[in-house]
Amino acid sequence: MKSKNKNRLQFSKRRRKVIYISSLVNIFSALIFAVVFYYTGFKSLAYIVGFSSFLFLVSSILTKKGNVKIARSLFILNFNLSVAIVASYVGKNASIEFFLLYALGIPFTFFSIRREKIWVLLYAFLPVLLLTLLYIYNFNFFGVEQLDPEFAKNNIYPFSMTFTLLLIVFQLIYFSYINAGFNKSVQEKKTKAIEASNAKSQFLSTMSHEIRTPLNAVIGLSHILGDNNPKEDQIQNIEALNYSGKILLNLLNNVLDFSKMQKDEIELDNTPLDLLAAIKQIKKVHEASCIKKGIDMVLDVDKTIPFVWLDIVRFNQVINNLVTNAIKFTEKGSVTLRITKEKQTNKNVTLLTEVIDTGIGIPADKHETIWEAFSQASTDTNRLYGGTGLGLPIVKSIVNRMGADIKIDSTKGKGSRFYFTLDLPIATKEELKKTTEVKDFNFEGIKVLLVEDNEINVMVGVQILEKANLKVDIALDGLMAVHKAKNNDYDIILMDIQMPILDGYQATKKIREFDKDIPIIALSASVYMQSKNDLEDSKIDGFIFKPFKPQDLLNQIEKFTQ
């Protein structure tokens, strides 16, 4: 029963309708010819064409019942052979053979050219073959006495030519009508898909803004605490706080990156870094979870790894997803993160990254499905351990974007090993120094307008800006920003995007009406930016995503003011 339903679903409603209507049209066409032949004294031809009409009826019934494969083949064979037989009886002067021109186009409407090309070519060749044979045998396959040529020319010829033209016109008009309906349906579905995509993007944009706004305060305050000469025993805690904020940001990015992953829009931002130093917080962040479960967290990083060019945010996203999963599914034993140098040349280094656990393991038949979105090894896994099922698909997508493949060795009940090999360019000390050195900023006399509706972010922003000797004025919404920009002289404006009354784009457009030169930098907690045209229309000069590093913000201010 399932197989039968599956076969029915292989054919679109549009194609079934074309075959069914064509069968009905040819039933009546054949009956008309049968009546004409009968009353003109050619009863044998009337019986042949009448039987052909019956076969068209069978074709229509089969189509209605869903047996499209048999129905369309019966239709084409019946039509071609009946035309060839009748043409052989009535002779060349009746021009019955021109019905084969109509038959030439039938396969292109009954079959999918993309999926059934062989059948299209085969059935399109059939009328050509029959027409050729008719001329070879001088329109007399059976050696019978044919109609009087004059009678055929004067009586059958006009009738056959008229019907041939009518069938061809019907074929063109009806197929055009069906296609128009199909195109309209496709357009409607496309419109709905775009609306659904826009709704999803709007939802993700709102969620991104709502979560990133307080997250910006957490990460910003951790930077401020770190810059205020903390005690030695506080430094690690502040660093862990900052890193934990980034872990939370990583969880948010998992959801957002799934949307980007579907569009193949994940981008990498490679920077020079010391890998050992960059991932040192991983153990500290995850160790508490390991201690709580009574398992060991082992960090084994090759100390001979040189400085490399790598997108550390994406790399940490991969590692954190894998380590979090390993801890979640391990009840005893250990979780190990191992990064080993496999080979090194003057310009590149090959690193093997492994996350190994002694947990529940994954059955061999699930090694492929775990990479699918919203999929887990079993329903019990989801019930007992939770999770969205997005972590591994995103890990795979990011690793693939980095030019590598992630693999798995796992046995149920014996743990798992996820691993991948990256070939990375080696960075120099000078390149690393440029990105890691703390720059001293002195914006003495520079006045900035900070436009932000979140009071905590205002507090964080003011501390970061005033520490760099910037004079800060505050506007809590877009309309207030427009009034302050009109009545005061500022050197630069930092503009939040999502605000009440007037959003950042609207406020910027109004400011540009009376001040076209002041630099305006947009600060947004939404990862779904407006299109490039919208940014250009509002005349925004720069864009920074929240949460941001104070260094990045101050670099932008320096770029536009000095």
Side-chain angles (χ1 to χ4, degrees):
M1 186 69 179
K2 286 183 180 178
S3 176
K4 188 175 181 181
N5 289 335
K6 186 178 179 182
N7 287 333
R8 290 183 181 183
L9 291 173
Q10 289 177 349
F11 303 97
S12 66
K13 289 182 179 180
R14 180 173 62 102
R15 185 161 284 116
R16 289 202 298 269
K17 191 174 182 181
V18 168
I19 298 170
Y20 179 71
I21 296 297
S22 297
S23 297
L24 293 181
V25 169
N26 279 276
I27 289 171
F28 294 109
S29 299
L31 283 175
I32 291 171
F33 266 92
V35 170
V36 170
F37 284 135
Y38 186 84
Y39 283 104
T40 52
F42 304 104
K43 293 184 179 181
S44 57
L45 281 179
Y47 296 143
I48 291 171
V49 177
F51 181 69
S52 174
S53 178
F54 170 73
L55 292 180
F56 284 129
L57 176 63
V58 173
S59 175
S60 67
I61 294 171
L62 289 173
T63 304
K64 204 69 174 173
K65 289 187 174 183
N67 297 313
V68 180
K69 281 186 177 180
I70 299 174
R72 62 186 180 177
S73 293
L74 176 63
F75 180 100
I76 293 173
L77 290 172
N78 177 36
F79 187 92
N80 280 277
L81 292 176
S82 60
V83 169
I85 291 169
V86 172
S88 182
Y89 271 94
V90 299
K92 184 177 180 180
N93 287 338
S95 296
I96 292 291
E97 72 275 8
F98 284 109
F99 278 102
L100 294 174
L101 295 177
Y102 168 72
L104 192 63
I106 294 173
F108 295 93
T109 59
F110 282 17
F111 292 85
S112 167
I113 297 176
R114 181 173 56 86
R115 291 185 286 107
E116 301 171 302
K117 189 180 293 183
I118 294 176
W119 289 105
V120 172
L121 295 175
L122 180 65
Y123 281 127
F125 177 70
L126 179 60
V128 177
L129 175 64
L130 291 173
L131 191 60
T132 304
L133 290 174
L134 281 169
Y135 277 97
I136 291 174
Y137 286 94
N138 198 27
F139 285 77
N140 198 339
F141 284 152
F142 310 106
V144 296
E145 184 179 351
Q146 294 181 322
L147 292 182
D148 176 64
E150 276 305 307
F151 180 85
K153 184 176 181 180
N154 294 328
N155 295 281
I156 305 298
Y157 173 78
F159 192 68
S160 66
M161 288 303 296
T162 301
F163 252 88
T164 300
L165 289 173
L166 285 174
L167 282 175
I168 291 174
V169 169
F170 160 75
Q171 188 180 49
L172 292 173
I173 292 176
Y174 183 69
F175 193 64
S176 298
Y177 166 74
I178 290 291
N179 271 349
F182 175 72
N183 290 335
K184 182 181 178 182
S185 174
V186 169
Q187 191 62 39
E188 288 174 354
K189 289 179 180 178
K190 180 182 177 182
T191 302
K192 288 180 180 178
I194 291 172
E195 289 174 354
S197 178
N198 289 338
K200 182 185 73 173
S201 296
Q202 183 60 43
F203 169 75
L204 290 174
S205 176
T206 302
M207 289 302 298
S208 169
H209 181 268
E210 294 302 320
I211 297 173
R212 283 172 179 259
T213 297
L215 195 54
N216 180 62
V218 172
I219 294 177
L221 285 171
S222 67
H223 278 292
I224 292 169
L225 290 172
D227 289 341
N228 286 340
N229 299 317
K231 297 177 182 178
E232 192 170 336
D233 62 337
Q234 295 175 327
I235 293 175
Q236 281 191 330
N237 292 332
I238 292 171
E239 289 177 349
L241 174 64
N242 182 269
Y243 190 78
S244 296
K246 292 176 181 177
I247 293 291
L248 183 56
L249 180 61
N250 172 60
L251 295 175
L252 173 63
N253 286 339
N254 275 350
V255 178
L256 301 174
D257 284 344
F258 175 66
S259 178
K260 292 183 178 182
M261 183 179 72
Q262 291 178 307
K263 301 178 183 179
D264 195 26
E265 291 180 351
I266 289 181
E267 296 179 359
L268 300 178
D269 181 21
N270 295 326
T271 57
L273 58 92
D274 180 352
L275 189 59
L276 180 60
I279 63 172
K280 66 180 181 178
Q281 289 296 328
I282 286 180
K283 182 176 180 180
K284 186 172 182 65
V285 168
H286 292 287
E287 201 165 30
S289 298
C290 291
I291 292 172
K292 186 178 179 181
K293 298 187 75 172
I295 59 177
D296 295 325
M297 174 75 196
V298 180
L299 184 62
D300 181 11
V301 182
D302 192 335
K303 291 181 173 58
T304 65
I305 294 175
F307 304 140
V308 294
W309 284 85
L310 179 66
D311 186 334
I312 190 59
V313 175
R314 294 297 187 187
F315 185 76
N316 274 343
Q317 191 175 353
V318 169
I319 297 302
N320 280 310
N321 274 321
L322 293 176
V323 170
T324 300
N325 270 358
I327 294 171
K328 184 195 298 184
F329 298 118
T330 302
E331 298 300 329
K332 60 181 179 179
S334 64
V335 171
T336 301
L337 168 60
R338 180 179 296 132
I339 304 177
T340 311
K341 181 175 71 175
E342 289 197 325
K343 63 179 180 180
Q344 181 177 341
T345 64
N346 291 333
K347 294 184 177 180
N348 292 77
V349 60
T350 302
L351 302 180
L352 172 65
T353 302
E354 304 168 272
V355 175
I356 306 164
D357 66 65
T358 57
I360 62 175
I362 301 169
D365 62 339
K366 300 295 183 182
H367 285 190
E368 293 298 325
T369 59
I370 59 170
W371 305 109
E372 297 172 5
F374 308 111
S375 175
Q376 293 191 339
S378 69
T379 53
D380 287 340
T381 299
N382 181 266
R383 180 171 54 82
L384 293 172
Y385 299 97
T388 62
L390 286 178
L392 289 180
I394 290 167
V395 163
K396 181 179 177 65
S397 183
I398 294 173
V399 171
N400 288 346
R401 198 79 175 90
M402 290 178 168
D405 290 315
I406 186 163
K407 299 176 182 178
I408 177 176
D409 290 333
S410 184
T411 304
K412 189 175 181 180
K414 295 185 178 180
S416 304
R417 171 179 173 252
F418 290 87
Y419 61 100
F420 57 93
T421 302
L422 293 177
D423 191 28
L424 303 174
I426 295 175
T428 63
K429 287 184 178 180
E430 290 73 22
E431 290 171 329
L432 181 65
K433 187 177 180 181
K434 287 180 182 178
T435 58
T436 56
E437 66 180 352
V438 179
K439 197 172 184 180
D440 290 326
F441 296 95
N442 190 348
F443 296 106
E444 191 72 42
I446 302 295
K447 192 173 182 181
V448 57
L449 174 62
L450 175 61
V451 188
E452 171 65 67
D453 64 320
N454 184 281
E455 293 182 5
I456 297 176
N457 281 336
V458 169
M459 178 187 72
V460 173
V462 168
Q463 290 189 55
I464 291 171
L465 297 172
E466 287 185 343
K467 188 170 183 180
N469 293 322
L470 283 157
K471 293 181 179 179
V472 185
D473 197 3
I474 299 165
L476 297 176
D477 59 61
L479 185 61
M480 187 185 296
V482 174
H483 291 318
K484 289 204 169 191
K486 184 179 285 188
N487 298 316
N488 296 276
D489 291 325
Y490 300 107
D491 296 289
I492 190 168
I493 297 174
L494 304 180
M495 180 76 71
D496 187 25
I497 294 299
Q498 290 182 265
M499 294 181 295
I501 306 177
L502 285 180
D503 66 28
Y505 293 111
Q506 295 168 329
T508 300
K509 286 180 180 179
K510 289 190 175 295
I511 291 171
R512 289 302 183 209
E513 292 175 4
F514 56 83
D515 191 337
K516 300 186 183 302
D517 299 322
I518 187 168
I520 300 177
I521 299 175
L523 308 177
S524 178
S526 170
V527 294
Y528 287 90
M529 284 199 314
Q530 298 288 334
S531 68
K532 186 178 179 181
N533 289 337
D534 290 333
L535 290 173
E536 290 176 351
D537 288 345
S538 59
K539 300 295 187 296
I540 288 176
D541 298 292
F543 207 102
I544 295 180
F545 288 118
K546 298 175 186 175
F548 51 77
K549 295 178 183 177
Q551 187 89 3
D552 294 337
L553 176 61
L554 296 175
N555 280 334
Q556 285 284 309
I557 294 173
E558 184 181 59
K559 174 184 173 182
F560 287 105
T561 59
Q562 295 183 4

